[in-house]
Amino acid sequence: MTAPLTPPTPPHNQSSNDVWQAPPPAGMSGGVYEQDGPGMKTELRDAAVITVAVALGGVLLGLLWWWLAPHVPLVGDEVDKSWVVYLKDSEGEQAAGVDGTFTLLGLGFGLVSAVAVFLLRRRGGVPVVVSLGLGALLGSVLAWRLGIWLGPSSDVLAHAKAAGKGVVFSAPLQLGAKGALLAWPLGALLVHLGLTALFGPRDPEVPYPRQP
């Protein structure tokens, strides 16, 4: 007898090891999509908390600015029964020092707030970055207004009359360069961006498909 020429029919059920299956796409587990991250509601709630907490830091910034900023000396004089006020040192750099102090303090607060937010929310995300920048800007405005309120009176003529003729007194605490208000938010965003790029979580690499 001779063997049949027709080859045997392969079995219908093949082993799972012989069949290549593509890995499930990212965000799926067993064919069911999983939520990526803590959820939008949680992120928005955390963003609101970060905004308020960072903005309240402006109180400390305002106190430090009022305490560390140099005083601009003024002198009052009475000419023809009317009071005039002028700078005691016309070539002094105290006014520039006031702006510089606010700027340096803002950069320092930007560094501290960025590190704190990154350590608390290492995952990052757009809401966190926006809340950090917004809170820092609100904190700068709060510090600016608080420093002016704590500083000498803005009524210079009344202050000169109260001090007396020829007596040196301090000018109101003013921020000549309003761009200094951006030192805190810009510094915080740059530092947070750098920390996220260096130490932030990385997306898992998709494994290569196994060859059959």
Side-chain angles (χ1 to χ4, degrees):
M1 295 179 65
T2 59
L5 299 177
T6 305
T9 305
H12 294 286
N13 297 327
Q14 296 183 351
S15 174
S16 59
N17 295 331
D18 298 334
V19 181
W20 175 82
Q21 294 180 354
M28 290 187 64
S29 177
V32 179
Y33 280 93
E34 295 180 349
Q35 188 178 14
D36 185 16
M40 183 57 65
K41 290 185 179 180
T42 303
E43 289 188 358
L44 292 178
R45 183 181 66 244
D46 293 345
V49 173
I50 291 173
T51 301
V52 175
V54 174
L56 289 179
V59 176
L60 180 58
L61 175 58
L63 291 174
L64 290 175
W65 182 48
W66 166 70
W67 181 39
L68 297 175
H71 297 278
V72 179
L74 299 178
V75 175
D77 194 5
E78 188 176 5
V79 179
D80 297 333
K81 297 183 179 180
S82 62
W83 279 85
V84 293
V85 178
Y86 54 91
L87 290 170
K88 181 178 183 298
D89 185 7
S90 59
E91 298 181 357
E93 298 181 354
Q94 292 87 350
V98 173
D99 295 347
T101 302
F102 191 94
T103 302
L104 293 177
L105 288 174
L107 292 175
F109 272 69
L111 173 63
V112 173
S113 59
V115 172
V117 170
F118 177 77
L119 293 178
L120 294 176
R121 282 298 309 272
R122 190 177 293 268
R123 288 181 58 89
V126 176
V128 173
V129 176
V130 173
S131 63
L132 176 61
L134 179 60
L137 181 59
L138 294 176
S140 294
V141 175
L142 176 61
W144 170 45
R145 302 310 303 176
L146 179 62
I148 292 177
W149 181 70
L150 292 175
S153 174
S154 58
D155 192 347
V156 178
L157 290 179
H159 198 174
K161 293 178 181 179
K165 182 178 179 180
V167 178
V168 179
F169 63 97
S170 298
L173 193 61
Q174 296 179 350
L175 194 62
K178 297 301 187 294
L181 295 172
L182 300 177
W184 185 357
L186 289 180
L189 292 178
L190 290 177
V191 172
H192 189 272
L193 178 61
L195 292 175
T196 303
L198 293 175
F199 307 107
R202 300 292 188 269
D203 294 333
E205 297 182 358
V206 178
Y208 288 101
R210 186 175 57 185
Q211 298 297 330

